[in-house]
């Protein structure tokens, strides 16, 4: 899924750009989206925040925010995006 596809599906631009890291074969970018929690949550007014990880404009992973985005980006890159020598 591309960033444009995500934008269309969610109907809004990201709240923030958390960071980006350049690699030899592309760029990993982390963006933040926030919105209402699940309707079945204990408090329906709760806002959920997610980080979406894009490598060269393609969504490769998403999840709850982590304290150190750079370490997690490196882990995602090593397991999903790095090309074999």
């Amino acid at each position: 899924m591309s960033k444009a596809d995500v934008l269309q599906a969610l109907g809004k631009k990201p709240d923030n750009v958390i960071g980006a890291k350049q690699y030899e074969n592309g760029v990993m970018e982390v963006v933040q989206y926030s919105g209402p929690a699940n309707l079945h949550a204990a408090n329906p007014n709760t806002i959920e925040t997610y980080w979406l990880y894009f490598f060269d404009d393609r969504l490769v992973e998403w999840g709850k925010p982590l304290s150190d985005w750079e370490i997690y980006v490196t882990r995602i890159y090593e397991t999903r995006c790095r090309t074999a020598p």
Side-chain angles (χ1 to χ4, degrees), residues 3 17-21 27-31 52-57 69 73:
K3 285 199 302 191
V17 174
I18 302 302
K21 191 169 181 179
V27 175
M28 181 77 73
E29 183 179 22
V30 184
V31 298
L52 283 66
Y53 300 82
F54 292 92
F55 186 73
D56 280 351
D57 196 40
W69 69 270
V73 161

Tab-separated table of all heavy atoms in Angstrom, residues 3 17-21 27-31 52-57 69 73:
chain	number	residue	atom	x	y	z
A	3	LYS	N	1.732	5.503	0.234
A	3	LYS	CA	1.302	6.580	1.128
A	3	LYS	C	0.010	7.200	0.619
A	3	LYS	O	-0.860	7.553	1.406
A	3	LYS	CB	2.396	7.632	1.279
A	3	LYS	CG	3.529	7.161	2.160
A	3	LYS	CD	4.412	8.238	2.712
A	3	LYS	CE	5.086	9.119	1.777
A	3	LYS	NZ	6.122	9.978	2.378
A	17	VAL	N	5.243	13.815	11.218
A	17	VAL	CA	6.309	12.967	10.697
A	17	VAL	C	7.238	12.744	11.884
A	17	VAL	O	7.780	13.693	12.453
A	17	VAL	CB	7.069	13.639	9.531
A	17	VAL	CG1	8.260	12.798	9.123
A	17	VAL	CG2	6.138	13.855	8.353
A	18	ILE	N	7.388	11.499	12.296
A	18	ILE	CA	8.211	11.173	13.456
A	18	ILE	C	9.688	11.230	13.099
A	18	ILE	O	10.512	11.713	13.855
A	18	ILE	CB	7.845	9.777	14.005
A	18	ILE	CG1	6.357	9.735	14.387
A	18	ILE	CG2	8.738	9.386	15.177
A	18	ILE	CD1	5.933	10.765	15.409
A	19	GLY	N	10.036	10.728	11.925
A	19	GLY	CA	11.420	10.772	11.490
A	19	GLY	C	11.609	10.020	10.193
A	19	GLY	O	10.697	9.363	9.692
A	20	ALA	N	12.810	10.130	9.656
A	20	ALA	CA	13.156	9.434	8.426
A	20	ALA	C	14.628	9.060	8.488
A	20	ALA	O	15.427	9.745	9.136
A	20	ALA	CB	12.883	10.311	7.224
A	21	LYS	N	14.957	7.972	7.814
A	21	LYS	CA	16.342	7.505	7.801
A	21	LYS	C	16.688	7.032	6.395
A	21	LYS	O	15.946	6.254	5.799
A	21	LYS	CB	16.523	6.371	8.810
A	21	LYS	CG	17.959	6.000	9.054
A	21	LYS	CD	18.078	5.076	10.247
A	21	LYS	CE	19.535	4.742	10.494
A	21	LYS	NZ	19.692	3.865	11.656
A	27	VAL	N	14.593	5.145	1.475
A	27	VAL	CA	14.333	5.930	2.689
A	27	VAL	C	13.205	5.296	3.475
A	27	VAL	O	12.166	4.942	2.921
A	27	VAL	CB	13.946	7.384	2.332
A	27	VAL	CG1	13.556	8.176	3.568
A	27	VAL	CG2	15.072	8.073	1.585
A	28	MET	N	13.409	5.158	4.786
A	28	MET	CA	12.367	4.701	5.700
A	28	MET	C	11.811	5.950	6.389
A	28	MET	O	12.571	6.754	6.936
A	28	MET	CB	12.941	3.749	6.749
A	28	MET	CG	11.928	3.218	7.721
A	28	MET	SD	10.877	1.917	7.055
A	28	MET	CE	12.041	0.568	6.999
A	29	GLU	N	10.500	6.116	6.341
A	29	GLU	CA	9.846	7.261	6.966
A	29	GLU	C	8.798	6.754	7.948
A	29	GLU	O	8.092	5.789	7.669
A	29	GLU	CB	9.179	8.132	5.902
A	29	GLU	CG	8.537	9.373	6.467
A	29	GLU	CD	7.902	10.245	5.396
A	29	GLU	OE1	7.581	9.750	4.295
A	29	GLU	OE2	7.710	11.435	5.680
A	30	VAL	N	8.719	7.426	9.103
A	30	VAL	CA	7.749	7.072	10.140
A	30	VAL	C	6.798	8.249	10.307
A	30	VAL	O	7.234	9.376	10.540
A	30	VAL	CB	8.448	6.768	11.490
A	30	VAL	CG1	7.431	6.308	12.520
A	30	VAL	CG2	9.561	5.762	11.321
A	31	VAL	N	5.494	7.976	10.164
A	31	VAL	CA	4.486	9.021	10.341
A	31	VAL	C	3.477	8.584	11.405
A	31	VAL	O	3.308	7.395	11.657
A	31	VAL	CB	3.766	9.369	9.021
A	31	VAL	CG1	4.745	9.910	7.994
A	31	VAL	CG2	3.000	8.196	8.474
A	52	LEU	N	3.096	4.579	11.360
A	52	LEU	CA	3.144	3.839	10.103
A	52	LEU	C	4.541	3.980	9.524
A	52	LEU	O	5.093	5.091	9.498
A	52	LEU	CB	2.102	4.368	9.118
A	52	LEU	CG	0.658	3.941	9.388
A	52	LEU	CD1	0.112	4.502	10.669
A	52	LEU	CD2	-0.218	4.311	8.219
A	53	TYR	N	5.110	2.865	9.095
A	53	TYR	CA	6.479	2.812	8.592
A	53	TYR	C	6.444	2.586	7.083
A	53	TYR	O	5.956	1.558	6.622
A	53	TYR	CB	7.243	1.681	9.274
A	53	TYR	CG	7.314	1.839	10.779
A	53	TYR	CD1	6.259	1.436	11.582
A	53	TYR	CD2	8.417	2.412	11.392
A	53	TYR	CE1	6.303	1.586	12.963
A	53	TYR	CE2	8.475	2.570	12.765
A	53	TYR	CZ	7.415	2.156	13.544
A	53	TYR	OH	7.459	2.305	14.905
A	54	PHE	N	6.971	3.561	6.341
A	54	PHE	CA	6.995	3.481	4.884
A	54	PHE	C	8.433	3.354	4.415
A	54	PHE	O	9.312	4.088	4.872
A	54	PHE	CB	6.405	4.753	4.264
A	54	PHE	CG	4.938	4.918	4.503
A	54	PHE	CD1	4.464	5.620	5.594
A	54	PHE	CD2	4.016	4.365	3.631
A	54	PHE	CE1	3.110	5.784	5.816
A	54	PHE	CE2	2.649	4.513	3.839
A	54	PHE	CZ	2.196	5.224	4.934
A	55	PHE	N	8.671	2.428	3.500
A	55	PHE	CA	9.972	2.335	2.855
A	55	PHE	C	9.758	2.640	1.384
A	55	PHE	O	9.005	1.939	0.705
A	55	PHE	CB	10.603	0.945	3.028
A	55	PHE	CG	11.998	0.881	2.491
A	55	PHE	CD1	13.028	1.500	3.162
A	55	PHE	CD2	12.270	0.232	1.300
A	55	PHE	CE1	14.318	1.464	2.669
A	55	PHE	CE2	13.549	0.185	0.795
A	55	PHE	CZ	14.583	0.808	1.485
A	56	ASP	N	10.405	3.695	0.915
A	56	ASP	CA	10.234	4.156	-0.468
A	56	ASP	C	8.766	4.251	-0.853
A	56	ASP	O	8.336	3.718	-1.880
A	56	ASP	CB	11.009	3.267	-1.442
A	56	ASP	CG	12.486	3.621	-1.478
A	56	ASP	OD1	12.867	4.646	-0.888
A	56	ASP	OD2	13.247	2.879	-2.099
A	57	ASP	N	7.996	4.919	0.015
A	57	ASP	CA	6.587	5.217	-0.244
A	57	ASP	C	5.661	4.005	-0.148
A	57	ASP	O	4.505	4.069	-0.532
A	57	ASP	CB	6.430	5.894	-1.618
A	57	ASP	CG	5.075	6.563	-1.774
A	57	ASP	OD1	4.581	7.175	-0.806
A	57	ASP	OD2	4.487	6.453	-2.870
A	69	TRP	N	12.168	5.312	17.873
A	69	TRP	CA	11.786	4.961	16.502
A	69	TRP	C	12.974	4.521	15.674
A	69	TRP	O	12.848	3.645	14.826
A	69	TRP	CB	11.039	6.113	15.831
A	69	TRP	CG	11.883	7.312	15.547
A	69	TRP	CD1	12.093	8.382	16.368
A	69	TRP	CD2	12.642	7.566	14.371
A	69	TRP	NE1	12.934	9.278	15.775
A	69	TRP	CE2	13.282	8.801	14.544
A	69	TRP	CE3	12.846	6.867	13.189
A	69	TRP	CZ2	14.123	9.363	13.585
A	69	TRP	CZ3	13.674	7.422	12.217
A	69	TRP	CH2	14.294	8.657	12.426
A	73	VAL	N	13.135	1.240	13.355
A	73	VAL	CA	13.283	1.421	11.906
A	73	VAL	C	14.415	0.544	11.385
A	73	VAL	O	14.283	-0.108	10.350
A	73	VAL	CB	13.514	2.912	11.567
A	73	VAL	CG1	14.127	3.085	10.197
A	73	VAL	CG2	12.221	3.674	11.655
